[in-house]
Amino acid sequence: MTLLVATPLIMLPGGLYRFVLPKLAILLLVLCLGLLAPATSRLGRPAVLILAAIVGTYVIAALSSEDLLAALVGRWPRYEGLPVLLLYVGLLVVGARVLGGSSAAKSRQYVVHGLCFSMLILAPIAVAEAAGLRPLGGADDIRPGATLGNATDLGLAGLIACLLLLPTALWSKNKLAQIGAAAAGVVTVTSGSRACILIVVICGILLFGFKAFQLFKSGRPVHAIAAFAGFVGVAAVLSWSIPSVAERLFSMETVTGRVYLWEASLQALSGNAFLGLGAGQFVDALPSHLSDAFAKNVGTEFPADSPHLVLLQLVSAGGLFFLLSVAAAVCTVIVIGVRRIRTAPLNEHKLFLIGALVAMCGYGFALMTHFTSPGTTALVCVLAGAILGNAPVLEGPAKSRRDKALDVARLSAFGLALVGAIVAGVAASAEIPMKSGTDLAAGGDIPKATKEFEQARALRPWDQDIDLLAAQAFAVRAVTGDTTAAAAATTWARAAVERNPSSMEALTALAIGQLGTGDVQAARKTLDTQIERSPWTSEPHLLRGLAKASGQDMEGAIADIERAAALTPKPERALNILSELYVVSGQPEKATEVEERLALVR
């Protein structure tokens, strides 16, 4: 339980992406220990069959995908392939074993208190980041996410903890739960996630409203009004007093972007809904289904690796049957949770069940604009298991052959989880040479950077994105005119394309490397391939325009740069280049027009 509640705080200092693989290693250790812990309850047969259906439908979809390895092991940065899916299922089983049933009161109390301490650690970091500070590092122009690495994931961690702790905080005298719920609320608000803030406010109003109703009926109207008005007032003051949060609350930019992304996602899945695309393949399939409106309003500089809608995410990863299996599991948890809450007396178990069910439902609603991640999904799986776990644990002569077979399966799962923890730990260590290689590439020390990336690839040979990330790091240096970096970008990008021919990002890095080494014809061929696959992506048009300009095809270069400027919400770079091309081609009046357009968008 200590490892479980500490997972949101786990990160790897000095790593390139410090937040996922270290958490996975710890969560696999949680699974190992949970499978060995004495059981207080177990899952019923219907729940076991549904979980088997989830895994089975996912495996069938993975076997039919275009990239079997990616579908099985997942892709950077969240690696949500089959091992992580099995981890989620295993943690649900652990939740039933350790937190289910009336005799698990001590374990449930430990989770509640542990989450309080986790939120008390996260809250000051989240407040500092909302104020513009960067205690854990990161650029000033991005929304940080504390130890979760993503601002919405940070909000989700706060949401889960706050909704789990609120019933205990309101209907018991547990002061630590009250402080923890308040800290979790601060984490949620300072994350700036509108969906998380809205859900916490709505659920808080319902819980505080019910508590106020009880106080009013018991003859304490002043206490009732104070409790309800206090919650609403504190939520409003927190939301509006932090400039970065208040600004996002009234911004419609990402809301509009989500709508365009969902439209493109539906197009990408329209011919693959039955079995899906396979885990990690959405990012490569999406560019072929974009539109001019998407490119102009959302931009294609940072390709989305998820539809940001859990229903579409599930269809993409495993198809319709996978979605239906997960939906059946969610419905089962809700039905059983409501039934047990209604029949249980008001005690710590009932309060925990209420909090767990509300937290799970709140998390599900928040995923209507976001995606799953090990840092948040794991705890929800444990809570779902705690709701489902109620079947008695048989011992002695009453133990059937089926139960003994389940013990064999449990010990086998323990062995696999232990191996997985070791693999995840080694894989996480590769983030350190990845970060070192990226920094060395940015500084121009290409030989040392290459050695660092090769070390990372040796530690994580199954990860096809090592080649891609290295190629992108060298490409960033190559655009400054460093021919050695361009040659390295070409080498690593070719390896990335060989492992994943459909990767638009790998093709972009390859084209930059080819241009940097003077192989203009090869670069144009690479860019032609990209544009044929996705004529809505801005960067290939920009690069092809530069390639044509180097070959003195000014008319073609101008046409491509104009197209690049039309396919991005931030056309300043393309317009600057376009202005220079008009000057070089002897069209000063056109250059003046472009400068006027540039002044309007700055």
Side-chain angles (χ1 to χ4, degrees):
M1 292 300 101
T2 300
L3 292 176
L4 175 65
V5 297
T7 299
L9 306 175
I10 300 298
M11 56 180 284
L12 180 66
L16 179 64
Y17 193 72
R18 306 168 283 170
F19 309 103
V20 169
L21 285 170
K23 287 181 172 61
L24 286 176
I26 297 300
L27 287 169
L28 285 162
L29 287 177
V30 171
L31 178 56
C32 289
L33 297 173
L35 290 172
L36 293 180
T40 58
S41 72
R42 62 179 183 176
L43 295 175
R45 182 172 294 181
V48 172
L49 292 176
I50 292 172
L51 294 180
I54 290 174
V55 176
T57 53
Y58 180 91
V59 170
I60 292 171
L63 292 173
S64 66
S65 68
E66 293 184 2
D67 191 338
L68 177 60
L69 181 63
L72 288 178
V73 304
R75 293 276 304 278
W76 184 89
R78 291 184 301 283
Y79 299 104
E80 289 186 310
L82 181 60
V84 173
L85 176 63
L86 292 174
L87 169 65
Y88 292 159
V89 170
L91 289 174
L92 197 146
V93 174
V94 166
R97 286 178 54 82
V98 180
L99 299 177
S102 58
S103 61
K106 188 173 182 180
S107 296
R108 288 191 292 268
Q109 184 183 53
Y110 201 88
V111 169
V112 167
H113 290 172
L115 275 177
C116 292
F117 285 111
S118 291
M119 291 302 110
L120 287 171
I121 294 172
L122 265 183
I125 301 174
V127 170
E129 291 184 337
L133 304 176
R134 296 294 181 265
L136 301 181
D140 293 335
D141 59 342
I142 61 171
R143 289 175 62 211
T147 56
L148 279 299
N150 177 281
T152 303
D153 278 351
L154 176 64
L156 286 171
L159 175 149
I160 295 165
C162 184
L163 297 184
L164 176 63
L165 296 172
L166 263 181
T168 301
L170 289 173
W171 279 278
S172 76
K173 296 181 180 180
N174 191 328
K175 297 295 183 183
L176 184 58
Q178 294 168 359
I179 296 171
V186 170
V187 169
T188 305
V189 172
T190 52
S191 73
S193 170
R194 286 165 295 192
C196 294
I197 294 171
L198 180 63
I199 292 167
V200 166
V201 168
I202 292 174
C203 293
I205 286 174
L206 293 175
L207 291 171
F208 272 88
F210 187 68
K211 178 66 175 179
F213 176 72
Q214 288 181 327
L215 290 172
F216 191 84
K217 285 186 66 177
S218 65
R220 291 182 287 175
V222 175
H223 291 81
I225 295 172
F228 187 77
F231 170 76
V232 175
V234 169
V237 169
L238 275 176
S239 300
W240 269 272
S241 63
I242 303 173
S244 60
V245 175
E247 181 181 353
R248 282 189 54 77
L249 287 176
F250 294 100
S251 171
M252 293 297 293
E253 182 179 351
T254 55
V255 176
T256 305
R258 290 288 191 274
V259 174
Y260 283 115
L261 178 58
W262 295 335
E263 290 176 351
S265 301
L266 286 171
Q267 290 291 325
L269 296 173
S270 59
N272 302 278
F274 189 67
L275 290 173
L277 300 170
Q281 294 171 62
F282 178 84
V283 65
D284 298 322
L286 182 68
S288 299
H289 300 85
L290 302 180
S291 63
D292 281 18
F294 180 99
K296 182 64 178 176
N297 291 279
V298 181
T300 55
E301 288 82 3
F302 302 100
D305 65 348
S306 169
H308 284 71
L309 176 61
V310 68
L311 303 177
L312 295 179
Q313 179 186 342
L314 293 171
V315 173
S316 175
L320 285 173
F321 287 119
F322 182 60
L323 169 64
L324 293 174
S325 300
V326 174
V330 172
C331 291
T332 301
V333 174
I334 293 174
V335 170
I336 292 177
V338 170
R339 184 192 307 155
R340 290 179 180 164
I341 289 169
R342 291 180 64 183
T343 58
L346 185 59
N347 55 22
E348 69 79 24
H349 192 191
K350 182 169 185 171
L351 295 177
F352 186 89
L353 288 174
I354 294 171
L357 186 60
V358 174
M360 192 196 79
C361 292
Y363 179 71
F365 280 116
L367 290 184
M368 293 302 171
T369 61
H370 195 54
F371 44 77
T372 58
S373 179
T376 55
T377 307
L379 180 56
V380 173
C381 290
V382 173
L383 296 179
I387 294 172
L388 291 174
N390 202 42
V393 178
L394 302 179
E395 298 292 347
K399 199 165 187 176
S400 66
R401 290 182 179 178
R402 172 178 170 272
D403 295 306
K404 292 177 181 178
L406 288 176
D407 283 344
V408 173
R410 178 169 59 88
L411 293 175
S412 300
F414 165 80
L416 289 175
L418 184 59
V419 171
I422 296 171
V423 172
V426 173
S429 69
E431 292 296 326
I432 294 176
M434 286 293 294
K435 178 65 165 64
S436 177
T438 301
D439 292 342
L440 288 167
D445 194 340
I446 307 307
K448 286 186 178 179
T450 300
K451 289 181 180 179
E452 293 292 334
F453 286 126
E454 287 173 347
Q455 181 183 348
R457 185 163 58 185
L459 291 169
R460 222 153 68 198
W462 45 268
D463 185 2
Q464 68 182 36
D465 289 314
I466 294 287
D467 294 326
L468 171 60
L469 294 169
Q472 290 177 321
F474 288 124
V476 169
R477 177 68 184 183
V479 297
T480 66
D482 188 327
T483 56
T484 306
T490 302
T491 300
W492 286 88
R494 282 200 179 113
V497 171
E498 184 177 346
R499 296 186 73 170
N500 184 13
S502 60
S503 173
M504 294 286 286
E505 295 171 282
L507 288 173
T508 298
L510 177 59
I512 291 173
Q514 290 169 332
L515 284 173
T517 56
D519 195 351
V520 177
Q521 291 304 314
R524 287 189 61 170
K525 184 177 179 180
T526 301
L527 294 166
D528 288 343
T529 301
Q530 277 190 280
I531 293 171
E532 183 180 354
R533 290 183 186 175
S534 179
W536 307 280
T537 309
S538 176
E539 188 73 7
H541 285 285
L542 182 66
L543 294 173
R544 192 172 69 173
L546 294 174
K548 288 179 178 179
S550 67
Q552 301 304 311
D553 180 6
M554 288 300 175
E555 184 177 350
I558 288 171
D560 269 328
I561 302 298
E562 281 278 15
R563 180 65 174 156
L567 292 175
T568 176
K570 298 178 180 179
E572 293 90 339
R573 178 185 170 206
L575 291 178
N576 276 318
I577 296 172
L578 186 61
S579 176
E580 293 177 10
L581 289 179
Y582 276 127
V583 171
V584 171
S585 62
Q587 302 179 68
E589 68 285 352
K590 292 286 187 180
T592 303
E593 292 177 7
V594 173
E595 289 295 332
E596 292 174 356
R597 289 165 57 189
L598 189 57
L600 293 175
V601 299
R602 279 175 176 166

